[in-house]
Amino acid sequence: MSTLTEPTLSDLLAILDEVWGSFLSSPEPLLPASDDGMNHGTSAAVTITGDWRGIVVVETSRPVAEEVTRRMLMLDAVTPDDVADAMGELVNIVGGQVKSLTGGQSTLSLPIVASGHLVQPSEARELCRADLVWIGEPVRVTVLSVRTP
Amino acid sequence: MEPDPMHVLIIDDSRAMRSILRRIVTDLGFTAVEAANGQEALDHLEAGLRPELCTIDWNMPVMDGYTFVSRVRSTPEWRDITLMMVTTESEHGQIVKALAAGAHEYVIKPFTPDAIADKFELLGVRAGVVA
């Protein structure tokens, strides 16, 4: 069995820089922010189960979710279904990168996407959280560790 | 039947990801055909589509990418189709498993268009040319 490593905030920020830069082709940087501006427009999550268990959650304002979707689909107008699909893929990619950091053998779930804030399970504890600003709007990415029953 | 050198079959449950890959393979000169899961992709093949290459996500509902690869490799008339996993699954064990099942190449998301183009080049896959 390989050694398990829990991702740090530094790891998470590196992942987000890579995803935003290479995947969204964003010239606008992700900037640090206080957590005051989070309005939970759209939340997307994937769970990791196996040797390491956790949850990765991406929460953004609605304008960010729509802009991410426009850039992925290269469309001017996007539907709520488009936004759910794009945000699901975004958290899938971030979650996959987090999973790769942990070592061991784990499985990534299919993503879930919801309007508003996703309630965290009681057995989860926050490992790291990135509160950021992109295109002047809030982005929060949280990695939660889930205790093995 | 020989593969159609102009078609790439993009298999991913995310419409956004299919859209991104479609733009890349179209820029490379291919015609993209899309499937939302492994079963839809098999349906295309059973209907007679012979793509030069399939890009395959791992985690999909209905039929995952690993099962799709295994099914294609167990069907003699599809043996010439090049299979490339394009997925968030980056564990060494998963990569080995996919390659052992018959995938030719493995790309981890996120990727750049150049990374996809480089893999096509490595595989000798060019629009209109079968290596």
Side-chain angles (χ1 to χ4, degrees), chain A:
Chain A
M1 187 179 190
S2 57
T3 304
L4 298 179
T5 305
E6 295 202 311
T8 64
L9 178 59
S10 174
D11 295 328
L12 183 58
L13 291 172
I15 289 169
L16 296 174
D17 273 344
E18 182 184 5
V19 171
W20 252 256
S22 70
F23 211 63
L24 297 177
S25 302
S26 173
E28 302 92 345
L30 280 165
L31 300 171
S34 71
D35 61 356
D36 298 333
M38 195 64 236
N39 62 17
H40 304 298
T42 302
S43 300
V46 287
T47 59
I48 300 167
T49 53
D51 291 340
W52 188 81
R53 299 177 70 221
I55 303 170
V56 178
V57 185
V58 175
E59 299 167 279
T60 72
S61 67
R62 187 175 300 275
V64 167
E66 290 176 349
E67 185 60 21
V68 164
T69 307
R70 278 192 288 271
R71 292 187 187 213
M72 279 192 176
L73 292 172
M74 292 189 80
L75 294 174
D76 292 331
V78 294
T79 67
D81 282 349
D82 292 335
V83 172
D85 181 275
M87 289 298 290
E89 187 59 20
L90 182 67
V91 77
N92 181 47
I93 293 169
V94 175
Q97 295 286 302
V98 169
K99 182 169 87 75
S100 72
L101 287 175
T102 63
Q105 293 192 332
S106 305
T107 302
L108 198 65
S109 74
L110 293 173
I112 57 170
V113 181
S115 295
H117 178 61
L118 286 169
V119 176
Q120 297 170 2
S122 59
E123 65 270 30
R125 72 176 172 90
E126 185 176 301
L127 269 184
C128 55
R129 185 178 83 194
D131 282 301
L132 303 161
V133 171
W134 183 61
I135 58 169
E137 292 283 336
V139 175
R140 173 181 290 171
V141 182
T142 310
V143 179
L144 303 158
S145 171
V146 178
R147 287 195 304 268
T148 304

Side-chain angles (χ1 to χ4, degrees), chain B residues 9-10 13 18 22 24 26 38 44 46-47 61 121:
Chain B
L9 179 55
I10 297 167
D13 58 324
R18 296 199 305 271
R22 185 179 65 239
I24 294 171
T26 301
H44 279 299
E46 286 165 356
E121 186 72 26

Side-chain angles (χ1 to χ4, degrees), chain B residues 9-75:
Chain B
L9 179 55
I10 297 167
I11 311 164
D12 199 302
D13 58 324
S14 165
R15 180 174 165 238
M17 181 52 62
R18 296 199 305 271
S19 175
I20 289 167
L21 284 167
R22 185 179 65 239
R23 287 197 300 274
I24 294 171
V25 303
T26 301
D27 285 347
L28 293 172
F30 293 93
T31 298
V33 180
E34 299 181 20
N37 57 66
Q39 184 57 57
E40 271 191 24
L42 285 180
D43 292 344
H44 279 299
L45 299 183
E46 286 165 356
L49 180 72
R50 290 295 178 272
E52 173 64 14
L53 181 145
C54 298
T55 69
I56 309 148
D57 187 22
W58 191 297
N59 296 313
M60 294 181 286
V62 185
M63 181 187 287
D64 65 30
Y66 174 75
T67 304
F68 172 80
V69 169
S70 301
R71 291 279 296 273
V72 169
R73 282 294 165 256
S74 65
T75 307

